[in-house]
Amino acid sequence: MPTEAPVLRVRAVSKSFGAVAAVQGVSFDLYGGEAHALVGENGAGKSTIVKMLAGVHRPDAGTLELDGVPIELNTPADAKAAGIAVIYQEPTLFPDLSVAENIAMGRQPLGRFKTIDRTAMIEQAEQLFTRLGVSIEPSRPARGLSIADQQLVEIAKALSADARVVVMDEPTAALTGVEVERLFAVARSLRDHGAALVFISHRFEEVTALCERVTIMRDGRHVSTDLVSEVSVDEMVRRMVGRELGALFPKQEVTPGAVVLSVAGLTRDPVFVDVSFEVRAGEIVALAGLVGSGRSEVVQSIFGVDPRDAGTVTVAGKTLKPASPRAAMAAGVALVPEDRRQQGLVMELSIERNVTLPRSRALSQLGFLTGSNERRSAKEWTQRLKTKYGRLQDEVGTLSGGNQQKVVLAKWLATAPKVLIVDEPTRGIDVGTKAEVHRLMSSLAAEGVAVLMVSSELPEVLGMADRVLVMREGRLVAELDRERATEESVMFAAMGQEATV
Amino acid sequence: MTAAPARADSAVELPTAVTRRSSLDLVLRARELGIVLALAALVAVTAISNPRFLSGQSIRDILLGTAILAVLAVGQAVVVITRNIDLSVGSVLGLSAFTVGTLLRDNPGLPVVVALLIGAAVGGACGAVNGVLVRYGNVPALVVTLGTLYVVRGITYFWAGGQQINADELPAGFLDFGNATFLGIPYLVLIALLVLVITGVVLRNYRLGRELYAMGSSPQAARLAGISVGRRTIGAFGVSGALAGLAGVLFAARFGTIDAAAGTGYELNVVAAVVVGGVAVFGGSGSVWGAALGALLLTTIGSSLAVLEINQFWQQAIVGGLILLAIGADRLVAARVAASLKKRGSHVS
């Protein structure tokens, strides 16, 4: 275990985006020759930390110290110059350029008249690959390399820059078992050469296999930093999720009615496989799991935005035509998508237009949309949802995030759905609006709507749902009723750990 | 060093790597080769039908026309490689030609070199404006340069006010420059070759040039790699503008008659030459050599249609067909290359 001074110290850094505090006063130290795991739930602020180290975001407060000297990383070039290399989950290579050129970009060996010495450049790449023990052809274009190979190229890039700090942001998420082993072998050799490694992963077996030290983050704050050998996996999970469940969730008790939405054997290989469940009238069912476990894809397939390979979706006894949002809407399904800016709203159109968009046919007379009809309908729903706006004619893009979300909800609620699917209904909106959205979902359920909610926020899942379905890597792995669903049991199921609590 | 032991198979892999490299190169070269073959076939057919096509005067005309188009195409290629486009080059050519023409009419003693530099400076300024608008306005280059296409042309019309500069108003020395040769090669062609070689070498062998390819290949990765994307974008448009300005002076020297409409519609010829020459419109690949060959092919088609007494209107249809053919061939080659690269696959599996 290294005893010398830390290579890089992260000291009390904070970063906010608008009103959302992504990282608040986080500190930890990185030592040379040591692999340091950074773990936390989705949205705990890990990626923001990575982007600060990469020079993409500047901390609002706090400092980074390299060898005890404070440094400012204003651009990716600064981070590179400081010897910090970042390997993203999706590597960022130049597909049209050769592998050797990708590695050497900005530091190409120069020959006469400052021209690039290609032979030396390719030799350099060959040497790096030999050192890493991999055989990638340096002169082939980067296009067509597997994700695993692309990451190895990124690591070679870090090596060639003599990076002293190598940050790997969920490098294993897209790799197969063999590829992960190969990556770990390379990472270990990097570490043994004195580099400080930052490793981000959701898989605890990888953290314990690779890392010496682990920092746990929650809600943008630092929870703890320990030696991996001194903290159990159970303890790590508990620290990741452990927080008070506020009285924020006004869930009304409802006796579920008949089955409204029934999904059987839904499959789209390899994104999700054999997903089956039912949602009853008046019930709120949460679909939980890690980002990338296939939750959003499942609901998009139910609504017909995405195609499916197999399986059936039945709404109130009627089987839906696959891949047809129109059929789903006609059967009474409404989907409030995850990304409201991209999928939920037409930002340039007025508020009223957005609200009435799915019903433009019903509201039109002789094929023409009349302003008064539109306005009346839009007014009714925006008032019911307590949306704050200037005029109904204002562009939706001018509203705050929370109010935009209300407009999306108004748009779909106005269609009087039997099944309401909401994907991350409260992402990026303030606490007050959150509570209103929750109250609304609860009252809709009480009116007999079947609600299916995808959410990464555990308190929301536990506070709102009658039942929790947990997905992991494209499969439904657990179904927990309200009594059995706890933060630990959901997290354990989502991460594939045995529940021992 | 206690690095992971080198894989035994890496040594075995090497010889195959070498042959693969050359075969891949061959696929990429095939593009330039295709243009050369098309050119040879075209010249052969035309010459058989009318031997006058190979007369000195005819070849000179083709080369002079190519020289102007190639200078524009080289500048355009630089911009297209960075995943942008410059539609304003025809208008910039017109403004530069008219500026230099007016200056020469009023100051007949002005040396040719100074005229060339002034033209390039006028164009460079226009290009820099394009670049700044693209960079800071965050507007696609297509829209920005479509705007400046009209703005620059409008300025030229306003300034010219319907007047025209005729050959007899220009100094004889300048007109000579448009026709004179050095060792049998017209000066215009020499200038075009110089521009081509310098740009080609910078793009291929200098860090600056490779960064332009990198930007076009993946703008996001370029930013993360610490390339100053904004400055390079402005620089690329500046080069394209300066070369369009230079082409304006060549245009003035060759034709002698300049009005405000000089170079109208050139931008489409230029883009066609670049695309036919194998520069990918999505950036990141292609070369100025290909673009120059494209310019030669398009110019030759124009003259050979005249010689073959085919209606000039067919020329547009043929150029259009060539563009579609070029893009189709690109897609085909890209799909083939992608498939073969995938097949080689990961060393891990």
Side-chain angles (χ1 to χ4, degrees), chain A residues 91-150:
Chain A
T92 51
L93 297 179
F94 306 111
D96 299 292
L97 304 187
S98 73
V99 167
E101 194 150 26
N102 264 290
I103 293 172
M105 183 54 72
R107 280 185 315 275
Q108 295 99 331
L110 300 182
R112 271 196 311 169
F113 308 118
K114 289 190 140 191
T115 57
I116 294 169
D117 185 343
R118 270 162 213 275
T119 329
M121 190 169 78
I122 287 181
E123 259 170 34
Q124 210 178 56
E126 265 163 7
Q127 278 168 10
L128 288 169
F129 286 141
T130 314
R131 204 172 132 195
L132 292 175
V134 298
S135 57
I136 300 174
E137 208 181 301
S139 54
R140 65 164 281 168
R143 191 186 298 283
L145 284 175
S146 69
I147 297 273
D149 282 356
Q150 290 184 41

Side-chain angles (χ1 to χ4, degrees), chain B residues 1-348:
Chain B
M1 274 218 319
T2 48
R7 285 278 155 137
D9 59 1
S10 67
V12 187
E13 198 80 31
L14 278 178
T16 49
V18 172
T19 58
R20 277 165 179 176
R21 185 184 312 167
S22 59
S23 70
L24 193 70
D25 258 13
L26 212 66
V27 174
L28 298 176
R29 288 273 155 72
R31 184 45 172 286
E32 268 100 351
L33 199 69
I35 301 177
V36 172
L37 287 180
L39 205 56
L42 181 69
V43 170
V45 169
T46 317
I48 289 167
S49 134
N50 187 341
R52 255 191 318 142
F53 185 63
L54 290 182
S55 73
Q57 185 55 41
S58 163
I59 289 178
R60 244 174 74 87
D61 274 347
I62 291 177
L63 288 181
L64 288 176
T66 303
I68 295 172
L69 191 60
V71 169
L72 290 168
V74 167
Q76 187 72 250
V78 171
V79 171
V80 172
I81 281 169
T82 65
R83 203 181 277 194
N84 283 299
I85 195 163
D86 185 354
L87 293 180
S88 69
V89 289
S91 301
V92 172
L93 180 149
L95 179 65
S96 151
F98 198 80
T99 309
V100 170
T102 312
L103 277 175
L104 284 167
R105 185 186 59 193
D106 301 340
N107 314 284
L110 208 65
V112 172
V113 179
V114 176
L116 289 170
L117 290 178
I118 290 173
V122 169
C126 295
V129 170
N130 280 330
V132 167
L133 287 176
V134 171
R135 159 80 172 81
Y136 293 101
N138 224 350
V139 183
L142 184 80
V143 180
V144 166
T145 58
L146 187 64
T148 50
L149 182 162
Y150 287 108
V151 171
V152 172
R153 182 64 70 190
I155 290 171
T156 315
Y157 270 110
F158 178 74
W159 180 20
Q163 64 166 319
Q164 179 176 324
I165 297 168
N166 292 313
D168 55 7
E169 293 174 275
L170 290 174
F174 183 67
L175 293 175
D176 279 351
F177 159 73
N179 287 307
T181 60
F182 179 76
L183 300 176
I185 306 169
Y187 277 112
L188 264 52
V189 175
L190 286 175
I191 288 177
L193 281 175
L194 194 68
V195 165
L196 177 63
V197 169
I198 291 175
T199 319
V201 169
V202 169
L203 279 183
R204 190 180 143 72
N205 291 329
Y206 283 83
R207 283 181 181 172
L208 174 70
R210 303 318 293 174
E211 290 185 359
L212 296 182
Y213 279 96
M215 282 161 55
S217 193
S218 169
Q220 193 209 354
R223 221 161 282 129
L224 289 176
I227 296 172
S228 39
V229 174
R231 208 183 308 161
R232 300 274 176 273
T233 305
I234 297 172
F237 276 100
V239 167
S240 169
L243 290 180
L246 184 69
V249 186
L250 304 186
F251 181 95
R254 184 179 174 211
F255 295 107
T257 313
I258 311 147
D259 62 13
T264 303
Y266 261 45
E267 55 279 344
L268 295 184
N269 282 339
V270 175
V271 173
V274 166
V275 171
V276 170
V279 179
V281 272
F282 293 118
S285 69
S287 71
V288 290
W289 311 101
L293 273 175
L296 179 62
L297 181 63
L298 292 194
T299 314
T300 312
I301 290 174
S303 345
S304 78
L305 289 182
V307 169
L308 293 173
E309 290 174 354
I310 295 173
N311 189 325
Q312 280 284 325
F313 295 120
W314 276 107
Q315 186 183 341
Q316 297 189 357
I318 290 174
V319 170
L322 265 182
I323 293 175
L324 294 179
L325 189 75
I327 290 172
D330 274 356
R331 294 298 313 151
L332 199 73
V333 169
R336 284 275 169 81
V337 169
S340 81
L341 287 177
K342 275 251 171 65
K343 213 177 294 167
R344 282 190 238 167
S346 145
H347 60 278
V348 186

Side-chain angles (χ1 to χ4, degrees), chain A residues 477-493:
Chain A
V477 290
E479 178 172 346
L480 306 161
D481 53 30
R482 199 171 169 79
E483 287 68 44
R484 282 195 301 140
T486 63
E487 302 223 353
E488 282 82 7
S489 62
V490 173
M491 264 336 249
F492 277 123

